[in-house]
Amino acid sequence: MPRANQRPRLVDVAEHAAVSLATASRALAGREGVSAEVADRIRQIARELGYVANPYARTLAGGASSTVGLIVHQVDDPYFSEIAAGVIQLAAEQGLLVQICQSGRDPGYELQQLRHLIAQRVGIVLISGSGYDDPRMEAAARAELAAFQDHGGRAAAIGRHALGIDAVLPDNEAGGFALAQHLMDLGHRRIAVAAGSAGLTTVADRLAGVSSALRQRGRSLADLTVVHSDFTRGGGRAATEQILNEHPETTAIIALNDAMATGVLSTLRSRSVPVPTRMSVVGFDDVSVAADLAPSLTTIRLPMTEMGRTALTLALKPRAIRPRRRPTGHLLVVRDSTGPAPKT
């Protein structure tokens, strides 16, 4: 019998069901070798006792595999595919395999994917993509990762502030500052931001950089139009339609990632708004296609492939007493999508 205040163990389930430990384990894992009637009885007893399988203990007992689990927000976003390329490159050099999952920027589904990877006995978990400004949305993932590492697993993040693990941190605020400064240097005063979903720390940090640049120039933040939409190409199109319809005086649009910037340029082209003579556009990340857009995109370059390699490098190291932080730096890349503000 489990003692008071002690979580029921597998051995307790086996004793109540009058079966061997191995039989109880096979039944609860859904493996062959146990009749359906016996397996149903064992699962019923487990539910009555409140038994919950411990995936960390299974990982420790079975030996962590040579697989790296990588969770990204969106696999078809070039930002994440370039990060994944860096992870895969280093994993191949180390004789490791990479399993990629997509969270869709849904913290609940991300938690589900994390638990799935742990149950699959991966040795390393990497999580890439913005965190959430409400710490309660990441509390469960933080707890899972702490337990995973306490039982011998390793983990690292890219772009996350609050998971309590080693992290590669993009230069989001400084990059936002540089974009706004560039546009103001070109004479733009009516600037709009095509921002990603509210609640993402990446969006908040990049917006903070833009706001800081305006304040440094003595500009009122009331002059800055911010439109939140999905952090995707479609979100960029939707935000641009709203900006053009509600704020036609705008002369420059800051898209807070290159996927949104692609949507911005697409909408401006469909609305016959010339870039950059009538509207300047900037992005953020410098994905591989940014230079090939028409016009080519002014953006902030982040070393995305290297970010993936760095995250895995951190995870391959022994766990530190305090989580390690690795900033990325940034570079403003000026191309054809920005020009002087139109004269009025």
Side-chain angles (χ1 to χ4, degrees), residues 32 128 217 228 276 314 340-341:
E32 297 180 353
S128 177
R217 298 286 182 95
H228 289 283
L314 288 171

Side-chain angles (χ1 to χ4, degrees), residues 237 240-246 248 264-274:
R237 287 196 293 262
T240 307
E241 291 285 358
Q242 184 174 338
I243 290 166
L244 293 176
N245 292 336
E246 299 178 7
V264 172
L265 290 172
S266 175
T267 297
L268 293 174
R269 184 165 52 249
S270 69
R271 296 276 293 261
S272 300
V273 178

Side-chain angles (χ1 to χ4, degrees), residues 1-13:
M1 285 289 294
R3 295 189 297 275
N5 299 322
Q6 182 185 50
R7 176 186 293 181
R9 302 163 300 168
L10 181 61
V11 66
D12 300 317
V13 176

Side-chain angles (χ1 to χ4, degrees), residues 25-177:
S25 176
R26 284 197 297 271
L28 294 175
R31 295 197 296 269
E32 297 180 353
V34 184
S35 70
E37 181 181 354
V38 171
D40 287 343
R41 181 164 58 86
I42 291 170
R43 285 192 286 268
Q44 177 62 33
I45 290 170
R47 286 193 293 270
E48 292 172 353
L49 291 176
Y51 171 75
V52 178
N54 185 341
Y56 315 113
R58 290 205 305 271
T59 294
L60 192 60
S65 74
S66 58
T67 301
V68 177
L70 171 63
I71 303 174
V72 301
H73 279 334
Q74 190 174 341
V75 294
D76 61 350
D77 185 327
Y79 174 82
F80 294 109
S81 62
E82 291 182 35
I83 286 173
V87 173
I88 292 168
Q89 286 173 9
L90 182 56
E93 294 168 12
Q94 299 294 321
L96 303 171
L97 297 175
V98 179
Q99 179 177 344
I100 302 176
C101 302
Q102 173 174 292
S103 71
R105 297 186 177 88
D106 179 338
Y109 190 59
E110 180 180 87
L111 179 62
Q112 181 181 331
Q113 295 293 310
L114 172 60
R115 288 171 172 164
H116 172 76
L117 289 172
I118 292 171
Q120 293 297 311
R121 296 206 298 266
V122 300
I124 293 172
V125 171
L126 303 178
I127 300 181
S128 177
S130 175
Y132 306 91
D133 58 13
D134 183 348
R136 293 172 298 180
M137 298 180 74
E138 297 193 294
R142 183 185 177 104
E144 291 283 351
L145 290 164
F148 176 61
Q149 293 204 114
D150 287 345
H151 287 82
R154 288 289 293 118
I158 300 169
R160 302 298 277 267
H161 300 251
L163 289 177
I165 57 179
D166 292 345
V168 178
L169 299 178
D171 214 353
N172 288 323
E173 187 167 345
F177 185 96

Side-chain angles (χ1 to χ4, degrees), residues 187-190 248-251 277-278 340-344:
H188 292 278
R189 297 186 60 82
R190 299 179 181 88
E249 73 282 0
T250 300
T251 64
T277 55
R278 166 62 183 86
K343 295 178 180 180
T344 57

